[in-house]
């Protein structure tokens, strides 16, 4: 592959960032939006060309650029790796990223800082591409930190609202906790093998045996993944990230940041395969996160918060697959999830756009007639995430549940319950938003309308992908498994579907239908509405308040740190300052006296000189 093609693929969004940040305001809103969209579209076209080349040759391509860090024990090159995994990620990062940019041209057109928004979106995609194509852990870490920075900038984009600033800081700080784990893992591996190249590490670990140090490294890397991909206990930042504009939510949840943890664990599969106890932890944490987030999603009333907890839950299912060693299955669900979750977030943005910023589903309803395209596309994606046959989510989620059943029935039960809850809260969202009568204001109802074409076109494309995306890995035609086989050094066996497997598929499908019917009975047949915040009682109130985890973090971690900070600021720093200022006053007083003898008087200087000579002679000839 030509080096120039690789550079175009990686640097096109960065070029878009530079042009928009320096010249975007002069170009105007529409031009800056088109520029930002074209920058990512160029990367998508380049990714397609790389994918076609990889399909033709079947060989991964390494693109070394230059020697970067040279130490006595380790040498690190700055380069890119285009293999089956990275190219697959590039396709949906740049493809879905292009659609989100296109959507943003209309969605953000009233914002006075639109050029800055597109600059941030562009550099977000640039850092995600860097993370994906890095040939070693250090280059990947650049992208890893970059997407963390961009999430901070975009979540707090409307920075005049202090709550949004707090949400941005929360995301940034919680990710730093995970990033420390990732760094520790990188240091351990570097010290053990004197290389951080993925190819070198895989060679060094080939045929290796489990060890305590390898397990610690794997666990440290997983902590990093927990931060980026919002797993217990570092998941609370992601729902708060809804403070950013809706296109940001779609980009974070579907195509970029939260998939980074899945990517890293999959990339380092050869390490995790040698740490079975860590894999068990990953599976348990994933299943627990899937269930916890699903229960919280049952009672949320903010349309974007429902989708946010849905993402946390779906990521938990992906980690469940990773913990069971089913890396291809996890990747499959990453791809299908990117399709339907991007569509759902952009669809929620279309609803919010029509209601002039309203996000509370209790104040919606009856939007089906006024917004038919938004309704149909969100319906398709909701059916997909609920696991309804034959849409994309059915195939990928079913693969995870089948894998869990064959490894650990308890984990299968947890995953299945979380999936039923997913179907319920997604159709709770659909029924509250699009069915029955409108519950908003008369002014809102008067201006209800379908969104512009720049918003609905990406919705249509993503809904189609959510419907047919499962075709990449259907039983009997497992293209994805064959495609990823060289990466995992063993081709995945064809699906052997017996009566047990068909029965489990039926159970999963029935579970999804039960969740949908449960929601229909409650919100259509009984026409019940979610209770007001102050009317929630018992366990429902605990779940509505997200198990008070944020409050516990504030009480146990944040408040003690703030108290310690205030102590050092108000007591220690004040006392030290008093001491320092005391010394400073003495020094200034002495200096004032000293200045009196430095007044430029020649007679005074001669007098001092004579005194000095007398003192010297006295010392030399009398004292001695």
């Amino acid at each position: 592959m030509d080096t120039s093609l690789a550079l175009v693929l990686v640097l096109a969004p960065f070029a878009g960032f530079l042009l928009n940040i320096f010249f975007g305001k002069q170009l105007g809103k529409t031009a800056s939006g088109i520029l930002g969209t074209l920058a990512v579209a160029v990367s998508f076209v380049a990714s397609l060309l790389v994918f076609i080349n990889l399909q033709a040759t079947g060989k991964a391509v390494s693109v070394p650029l230059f020697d970067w860090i040279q130490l006595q024990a380790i040498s690190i090159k700055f380069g890119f790796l285009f293999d089956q995994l990275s190219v697959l990620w590039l396709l949906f990062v740049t493809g879905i990223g292009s659609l989100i940019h296109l959507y943003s041209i209309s969605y953000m057109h009233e914002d006075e800082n639109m050029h800055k928004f597109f600059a941030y979106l562009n550099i977000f995609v640039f850092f995600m591409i860097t993370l994906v194509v890095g040939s070693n852990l250090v280059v990947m870490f650049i992208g890893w930190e970059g997407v963390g920075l961009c999430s901070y900038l975009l979540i707090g984009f409307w920075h005049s609202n202090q709550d949004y600033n707090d949400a941005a800081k929360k995301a940034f700080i919680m990710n730093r906790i995970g990033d420390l784990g990732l760094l520790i893992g990188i240091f351990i591996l570097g010290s053990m093998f004197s290389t951080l190249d993925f190819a070198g590490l895989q060679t060094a670990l080939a045929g290796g045996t489990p060890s305590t140090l390898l397990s610690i490294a794997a666990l440290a890397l997983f902590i990093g993944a927990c931060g980026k991909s919002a797993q217990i206990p570092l998941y609370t930042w992601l729902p708060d990230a809804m403070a950013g504009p809706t296109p940001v939510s779609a980009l974070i949840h579907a195509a970029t940041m939260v998939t980074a943890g899945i990517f890293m664990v999959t990339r380092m599969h050869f390490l995790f395969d040698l740490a079975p106890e860590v894999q068990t932890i990953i599976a348990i944490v994933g299943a627990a996160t899937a269930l916890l987030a699903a229960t919280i999603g049952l009672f949320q009333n903010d349309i974007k918060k429902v989708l946010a907890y849905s993402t946390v839950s779906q990521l938990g299912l992906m980690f469940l697959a990773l913990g069971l060693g089913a890396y291809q299955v996890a990747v499959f669900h990453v791809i299908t999830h990117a399709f339907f979750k991007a569509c759902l977030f952009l669809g929620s943005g279309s609803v919010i756009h029509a209601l002039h910023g309203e996000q509370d589903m209790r104040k919606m309803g009856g939007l089906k007639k006024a917004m038919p395209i938004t309704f149909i596309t969100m319906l398709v994606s909701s059916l997909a995430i609920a696991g309804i046959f034959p849409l994309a989510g059915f195939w990928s989620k079913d693969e995870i549940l089948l894998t869990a059943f064959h490894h650990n029935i308890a984990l299968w039960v947890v995953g299945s319950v979380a999936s039923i809850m997913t179907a319920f809260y997604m159709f709770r969202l659909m029924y509250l938003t699009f069915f029955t009568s409108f519950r908003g204001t008369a002014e809102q109802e008067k201006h209800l309308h379908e969104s512009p074409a720049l918003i609905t076109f990406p919705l249509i494309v993503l809904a189609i992908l959510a419907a047919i995306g499962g075709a990449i890995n259907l039983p009997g035609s497992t293209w994805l498994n064959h495609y990823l086989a060289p990466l995992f050094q063993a081709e995945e066996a064809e699906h052997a579907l017996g009566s047990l497997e068909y029965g489990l598929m039926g159970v999963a499908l029935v579970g999804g239908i039960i969740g949908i019917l449960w929601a229909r009975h409650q919100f259509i047949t009984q026409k019940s509405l979610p209770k007001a915040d102050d009317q929630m009682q018992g366990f429902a109130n605990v779940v509505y308040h997200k198990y008070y985890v944020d409050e516990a973090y504030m009480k146990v971690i944040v408040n003690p740190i703030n108290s310690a900070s205030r102590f050092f600021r108000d007591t220690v720093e004040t006392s030290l300052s008093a001491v320092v200022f005391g010394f400073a006053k003495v020094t200034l007083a002495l200096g004032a006296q000293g200045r009196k003898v430095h007044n430029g008087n020649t007679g005074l200087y001669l007098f001092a000189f004579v005194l000095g000579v007398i003192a010297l002679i006295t010392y030399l000839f009398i004292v001695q």
Side-chain angles (χ1 to χ4, degrees):
M1 185 180 71
D2 196 301
T3 303
S4 59
L5 178 61
L7 291 175
V8 167
L9 193 160
V10 176
L11 295 178
F14 186 70
F17 160 74
L18 292 176
L19 291 172
N20 257 322
I21 205 71
F22 289 113
F23 309 110
K25 198 160 190 175
Q26 294 89 323
L27 289 172
K29 294 180 179 180
T30 301
S32 67
I34 293 172
L35 173 63
T37 304
L38 286 175
V40 181
V42 167
S43 284
F44 176 60
V45 173
S47 299
L48 282 174
L49 295 175
V50 174
F51 173 74
I52 292 169
N53 179 71
L54 184 62
Q55 282 285 83
T57 64
K59 294 181 180 179
V61 177
S62 180
V63 182
L65 296 179
F66 54 86
D67 292 334
W68 183 22
I69 300 173
Q70 187 69 49
L71 302 175
Q72 185 175 4
I74 189 170
S75 175
I76 299 173
K77 296 181 182 296
F78 195 103
F80 304 139
L81 174 63
F82 296 91
D83 66 354
Q84 285 77 8
L85 184 66
S86 62
V87 173
L88 192 65
W89 235 268
L90 285 174
L91 287 174
F92 72 78
V93 167
T94 58
I96 294 177
S98 297
L99 292 172
I100 292 172
H101 277 69
L102 183 65
Y103 174 101
S104 301
I105 295 175
S106 177
Y107 191 88
M108 297 295 292
H109 199 266
E110 299 301 319
D111 196 288
E112 61 180 7
N113 292 314
M114 183 172 168
H115 68 286
K116 189 184 296 184
F117 180 79
F118 273 93
Y120 291 168
L121 283 188
N122 275 180
I123 200 167
F124 200 170
V125 173
F126 162 73
F127 277 123
M128 189 65 193
I129 291 173
T130 303
L131 186 157
V132 167
V133 302
S135 62
N136 57 63
L137 281 165
V138 182
V139 177
M140 187 192 76
F141 188 72
I142 294 174
W144 190 276
E145 290 301 297
V147 295
L149 168 64
C150 294
S151 69
Y152 169 78
L153 295 173
L154 286 165
I155 293 168
F157 184 75
W158 288 324
H159 51 79
S160 59
N161 186 319
Q162 186 55 41
D163 289 339
Y164 295 176
N165 291 332
D166 292 340
K169 288 187 290 184
K170 183 177 182 180
F172 191 78
I173 293 168
M174 292 198 78
N175 271 275
R176 299 292 74 70
I177 297 170
D179 295 351
L180 176 60
L182 179 65
L183 273 175
I184 292 171
I186 291 173
F187 291 151
I188 292 173
L189 293 174
S191 64
M192 288 181 69
F193 303 108
S194 297
T195 182
L196 290 172
D197 285 344
F198 296 123
L201 288 171
Q202 187 163 8
T203 301
L205 289 168
T209 56
S211 71
T212 301
L213 204 53
L214 283 179
S215 295
I216 293 173
L219 183 60
L221 293 182
F222 173 59
I223 291 172
C226 283
K228 276 291 179 287
S229 296
Q231 298 296 286
I232 293 173
L234 301 177
Y235 69 93
T236 58
W237 70 268
L238 188 55
D240 286 6
M242 298 304 95
T246 300
V248 175
S249 304
L251 197 59
I252 290 176
H253 285 249
T256 55
M257 188 166 170
V258 298
T259 68
I262 310 292
F263 176 84
M264 185 269 291
V265 174
T266 306
R267 171 64 78 199
M268 296 295 295
H269 67 94
F270 46 83
L271 169 64
F272 288 93
D273 285 340
L274 295 177
E277 65 279 10
V278 176
Q279 284 188 317
T280 301
I281 292 172
I282 293 173
I284 293 172
V285 168
T289 303
L291 184 60
L292 178 77
T295 59
I296 297 175
L298 296 175
F299 294 97
Q300 296 303 303
N301 297 317
D302 184 313
I303 188 171
K304 288 174 67 176
K305 285 287 181 73
V306 175
L307 297 177
Y309 280 105
S310 167
T311 298
V312 177
S313 183
Q314 297 302 304
L315 289 167
L317 292 177
M318 297 172 204
F319 275 99
L320 171 59
L322 292 176
L324 299 175
Y327 302 103
Q328 295 99 321
V329 175
V331 171
F332 185 23
H333 198 53
V334 168
I335 295 169
T336 61
H337 178 264
F339 297 152
F340 51 69
K341 186 52 62 68
C343 183
L344 287 167
F345 264 112
L346 297 184
S348 72
S350 178
V351 170
I352 294 167
H353 180 268
L355 296 177
H356 305 287
E358 182 59 66
Q359 296 184 198
D360 191 333
M361 296 184 298
R362 292 171 294 189
K363 299 176 183 179
M364 298 180 184
L367 300 181
K368 181 171 63 172
K369 292 182 179 180
M371 308 183 71
I373 297 176
T374 301
F375 166 68
I376 293 171
T377 54
M378 288 190 71
L379 177 63
V380 170
S381 294
S382 296
L383 289 168
I385 196 174
I388 301 303
F389 177 86
L391 305 177
F394 169 80
W395 303 105
S396 58
K397 187 185 291 185
D398 190 70
E399 285 269 15
I400 295 174
L401 295 177
L402 281 174
T403 303
F405 184 86
H406 288 300
H407 283 81
N408 188 307
I409 293 180
L411 294 178
W412 171 77
V413 171
V414 172
S416 298
V417 172
S419 297
I420 294 172
M421 290 181 177
T422 299
F424 172 81
Y425 64 65
M426 284 309 306
F427 275 84
R428 173 180 180 266
L429 180 154
M430 292 298 297
Y431 293 138
L432 288 175
T433 303
F434 292 101
F435 289 80
T436 65
S437 58
F438 184 67
R439 298 180 296 276
T441 65
E443 185 66 22
Q444 286 176 327
E445 187 172 18
K446 181 180 177 181
H447 294 94
L448 283 178
H449 62 279
E450 183 58 272
S451 297
L454 284 179
I455 289 180
T456 56
F457 175 74
L459 290 177
I460 293 169
V461 174
L462 290 167
I464 292 171
L465 292 172
I468 67 173
I472 63 174
N473 214 41
L474 294 176
S477 180
T478 55
W479 173 85
L480 182 63
N481 286 348
H482 290 301
Y483 173 79
L484 292 174
L487 177 70
F488 299 104
Q489 298 179 333
E491 187 170 310
E492 185 79 6
E494 293 291 335
H495 292 244
L497 296 180
S499 57
L500 175 62
E501 285 71 25
Y502 281 116
L504 292 172
M505 291 170 68
V507 169
L509 178 59
V510 169
I513 294 172
I514 288 173
I516 294 172
L517 294 178
W518 176 21
R520 179 178 176 80
H521 173 73
Q522 187 169 343
F523 299 105
I524 299 297
T525 305
Q526 294 188 339
K527 297 183 179 180
S528 61
L529 290 174
K531 294 180 180 178
D533 296 354
D534 57 358
Q535 293 179 343
M536 302 290 288
Q537 296 179 348
F539 182 67
N541 186 50
V542 174
V543 178
Y544 175 74
H545 286 94
K546 299 160 283 190
Y547 297 99
Y548 296 100
V549 172
D550 281 304
E551 289 79 359
Y553 284 171
M554 288 293 294
K555 187 172 184 179
V556 176
I557 299 173
V558 178
N559 289 341
I561 291 176
N562 286 338
S563 298
S565 300
R566 284 191 293 270
F567 169 76
F568 281 104
R569 182 194 66 190
D570 298 337
T571 305
V572 177
E573 184 179 335
T574 302
S575 301
L576 288 175
S577 297
V579 173
V580 171
F581 283 127
F583 280 118
K585 289 179 180 179
V586 172
T587 304
L588 288 172
L590 292 174
Q593 298 303 315
R595 281 195 297 273
K596 293 179 180 179
V597 297
H598 292 81
N599 58 5
N601 189 313
T602 305
L604 180 63
Y605 292 170
L606 286 173
F607 177 70
F609 174 74
V610 171
L611 287 179
V613 170
I614 292 172
L616 183 61
I617 292 172
T618 301
Y619 176 76
L620 291 174
F621 295 101
I622 298 177
V623 178
Q624 293 268 351

